[in-house]
Amino acid sequence: MNEPLHGLPACELRAAVTRGDVSARAIIEATLARIAQANPKLGAFTDVTAARALAKADAIDARRARGQTLGPLAGAPFAVKNLFDVAGLPTRAGSKINRERPPAARDAALVRRMEAADAILVGALNMGEYAYDFTGENAHDGPARNPHDLAHMAGGSSGGSGSAVGGGLTPIALGSDTNGSIRVPSSLCGVFGLKPTYGRLSRAATFPFVASLDHLGPFARSVLDLALSYDAMQGADPDDPAQTPRPLEPVTPSLEAGLGDLRIAKLGGYFARGDAAASEAVDRVARALKAERTIELPEAECARAAAYLITMVEGAALHADRLRERAADFDPDVRDRLIAGAMLPGAWIVKAQKFRRWYRSRVLEVFRDVDILLAPATPMRAPRIGQRTFVLDGREMLVRPNLGLFTQPISFIGLPVCAAPVWTEGERLPIGVQVIAAPWREDLALRVARALEREGVVSAPIGKGIA
Amino acid sequence: MSDVPFDAEALIDASLPLLDIALLPGARPVVKLHLETAQSLARLVLDFPLDDESEPAPVFTP
């Protein structure tokens, strides 16, 4: 094998392990070496589970030696945002306070599913405190940095996930997305990210943020790796009461089906307010897909407002005791938003939840005439680390709450989205486009992303920001 | 939504004892800014016309 092992996608690693070209142990040793070399610059990992990973690798190699069939992710290293339970580690959720918790007794459901497919957990990843963040900056652990330019943000709140995958530390990472926390770092770090339909994947044994809006999903540098990991994680889990009962609906078999007669449109109106880079990225994807229509989602700005309010109040309710007893131990940027959320009237949230049902029904009507919608994932490329504000549409606004302007109206009603990275010649930083499908049609979002990847319109090269 | 000017300072003063939360130094103007942002966003949601019979999105299944 000529390429460094750490740069290979999971699907190729699995093939190499199965053929006996490389051992799972060799892959993990190479991965641990890459993490040791790159992580001091990137700040992606907060915990490395080296002994566990090597033991798992040896078990896979032993099974292969006995002639046993290996799983679809055999030998593929992955890491998880540190709000996933990992047996033996306190689930810190990006906070100082939670690291005093006892170590988790067992792994999160999705970690167990990934390892059942013979993927190998190598550690836990940096994140914005309690997931209330779009920057990837963490007051306690330092920022997760952009692998394409270390002076820029990775995006958040799954900043370590975007940074680790974009930096070639692992081919796959898991993150969470309440309002955009998979899609924003995917956009800024130039990787593929899948936010599945709300209720699709089990959230069991992860630290929550906003029960009404929380999703989990994978990051990868290829659409096939995204599909393989998503398929490995599907399935009913009685430990997650918010999960919607659905049959297994694997997406990998239809991944190469191409565009067929899919009806694809750009989102205009509210979603056309990004800067030139955001608009050009969507236009380029739309041209490649021959998507000539532009349509508007009804009341998208109101949807974003409602998601914002529900987040403030549910987040504040979750942390009420900690705000009272441990205020000084919070990241101040997170704490003061949560305190404000605790003061909002309950009637606002009931109205927001009623609006959510109205908006869902109207958007489902839109999907009668279209299969895929396109929108920017972020209003701009990655801001610089420490940047507090940006100007959009002539208005100065805060970075931390507003990088998710275009993701919030989509996750508000749980639509599945694949964020796909677009590059412009001469630019160091990428920007992502949301490929959005109707509920439960992750297969279509991934099919379109794969068609774009095959044509070279979207791609996820390893960042060159790490010397 | 009411057109009465929003007094975030008054809301902070009234809420803190109820919530039993003390603001740390420097936090007050930040909390005020977040409340004003929330209030401006709430205007969009509260002014949106919905029937009394509208059901909220989450449905409890006994």
Side-chain angles (χ1 to χ4, degrees), chain A residues 43-44 46 80-84 92-95 124-139 141-145 153-164 173-189 207-210 213-217 219 311 331 334 337 378 399-404 407-408:
Chain A
T46 52
V80 295
K81 185 174 185 174
N82 66 30
L83 57 65
F84 286 71
R92 68 173 79 179
S95 71
L125 299 163
N126 200 356
M127 59 177 281
E129 187 180 64
Y130 291 129
Y132 205 177
D133 167 56
F134 284 132
T135 67
E137 297 179 348
N138 183 293
D141 294 310
R145 293 179 182 272
M153 292 177 181
S157 63
S158 310
S161 305
S163 186
L174 304 186
S176 68
D177 187 316
T178 303
N179 286 297
S181 287
I182 288 174
R183 293 160 289 159
V184 169
S186 293
S187 176
L188 271 46
C189 291
F207 195 80
F209 176 24
V210 179
L213 304 172
D214 288 344
H215 309 65
L216 305 177
F219 295 71
T311 299
D331 176 341
V334 173
R337 285 177 85 187
T378 50
V399 170
R400 178 176 279 257
N402 290 304
L403 271 177
T407 50
Q408 281 185 279

Side-chain angles (χ1 to χ4, degrees), chain A residues 298-308 355 359 408-410 412, chain B residues 44-45:
Chain A
E299 303 294 341
E301 187 170 13
C302 191
R304 193 265 175 156
Y308 197 103
F355 172 78
Y359 178 67
Q408 281 185 279
I410 308 302
F412 180 50
Chain B
L44 287 171
V45 176

Side-chain angles (χ1 to χ4, degrees), chain A residues 49-350:
Chain A
T49 52
R52 167 185 170 145
L54 289 167
K56 170 78 176 171
D58 288 344
I60 290 170
D61 289 335
R63 282 174 39 224
R64 184 192 171 275
R66 291 196 296 271
Q68 294 176 351
T69 303
L70 302 182
L73 292 168
F78 76 106
V80 295
K81 185 174 185 174
N82 66 30
L83 57 65
F84 286 71
D85 281 2
V86 172
L89 297 178
T91 306
R92 68 173 79 179
S95 71
K96 176 182 176 186
I97 296 168
N98 278 37
R99 64 193 72 188
E100 297 169 11
R101 290 159 67 105
R106 64 172 188 161
D107 295 330
L110 297 191
V111 172
R112 284 181 271 130
R113 294 235 166 113
M114 289 289 287
E115 291 213 316
D118 284 334
I120 301 173
L121 182 77
V122 295
L125 299 163
N126 200 356
M127 59 177 281
E129 187 180 64
Y130 291 129
Y132 205 177
D133 167 56
F134 284 132
T135 67
E137 297 179 348
N138 183 293
H140 316 293
D141 294 310
R145 293 179 182 272
N146 194 299
H148 302 283
D149 187 332
L150 298 175
H152 287 255
M153 292 177 181
S157 63
S158 310
S161 305
S163 186
V165 173
L169 279 63
T170 56
I172 298 169
L174 304 186
S176 68
D177 187 316
T178 303
N179 286 297
S181 287
I182 288 174
R183 293 160 289 159
V184 169
S186 293
S187 176
L188 271 46
C189 291
V191 302
F192 294 95
L194 176 66
K195 186 205 75 61
T197 309
Y198 179 81
R200 171 76 86 173
L201 298 182
S202 172
R203 304 185 308 200
T206 60
F207 195 80
F209 176 24
V210 179
S212 293
L213 304 172
D214 288 344
H215 309 65
L216 305 177
F219 295 71
R221 287 195 301 105
S222 80
V223 179
L224 177 55
D225 279 4
L226 213 55
L228 288 168
S229 48
Y230 168 68
D231 280 349
M233 293 188 287
Q234 286 192 51
D237 182 357
D239 289 340
D240 180 1
Q243 202 181 20
T244 302
R246 296 287 298 184
L248 288 178
E249 294 171 319
V251 295
T252 308
S254 63
L255 202 58
E256 301 293 343
L259 300 178
D261 55 3
L262 290 178
R263 301 161 299 172
I264 303 173
K266 269 194 327 184
L267 282 177
Y270 175 86
F271 295 93
R273 298 161 53 201
D275 72 5
S279 303
E280 286 166 16
V282 174
D283 286 346
R284 191 171 341 150
V285 166
R287 277 197 303 276
L289 298 172
K290 298 184 171 50
E292 293 169 359
R293 275 198 296 163
T294 299
I295 61 178
E296 293 194 24
L297 291 188
E299 303 294 341
E301 187 170 13
C302 191
R304 193 265 175 156
Y308 197 103
L309 296 174
I310 290 170
T311 299
M312 286 185 80
V313 170
E314 285 197 28
L318 176 67
H319 294 292
D321 290 345
R322 283 178 284 273
L323 290 169
R324 196 162 44 243
E325 296 160 8
R326 302 286 301 269
D329 292 327
F330 276 82
D331 176 341
D333 283 337
V334 173
R335 180 196 62 217
D336 296 338
R337 285 177 85 187
L338 290 171
I339 289 175
M343 297 174 178
L344 301 185
W348 291 10
I349 303 314
V350 174

Side-chain angles (χ1 to χ4, degrees), chain A residues 299 301-302 305-306 308-309 312 324 327 335-337 339-340 342-344 348 351-358, chain B residues 1 15-16 19-20 24 27 30-31 34-35 37-38 41-42 44-46 48 50 52 54-59:
Chain A
E299 303 294 341
E301 187 170 13
C302 191
Y308 197 103
L309 296 174
M312 286 185 80
R324 196 162 44 243
R335 180 196 62 217
D336 296 338
R337 285 177 85 187
I339 289 175
M343 297 174 178
L344 301 185
W348 291 10
K351 182 74 185 281
Q353 288 285 14
K354 287 188 172 186
F355 172 78
R356 188 179 177 206
R357 181 167 294 283
W358 178 92
Chain B
M1 192 173 188
S15 300
L16 287 176
L19 298 169
D20 190 20
L24 280 110
V30 185
V31 173
H34 287 306
L35 284 173
T37 301
L41 293 169
L44 287 171
V45 176
L46 298 179
F48 189 81
L50 287 174
D52 287 343
S54 298
E55 287 284 345
V59 174

Side-chain angles (χ1 to χ4, degrees), chain A residues 408-428:
Chain A
Q408 281 185 279
I410 308 302
S411 39
F412 180 50
I413 49 169
L415 302 177
V417 186
C418 180
V422 175
W423 294 83
T424 300
E425 198 171 330
E427 291 287 348
R428 290 169 66 95

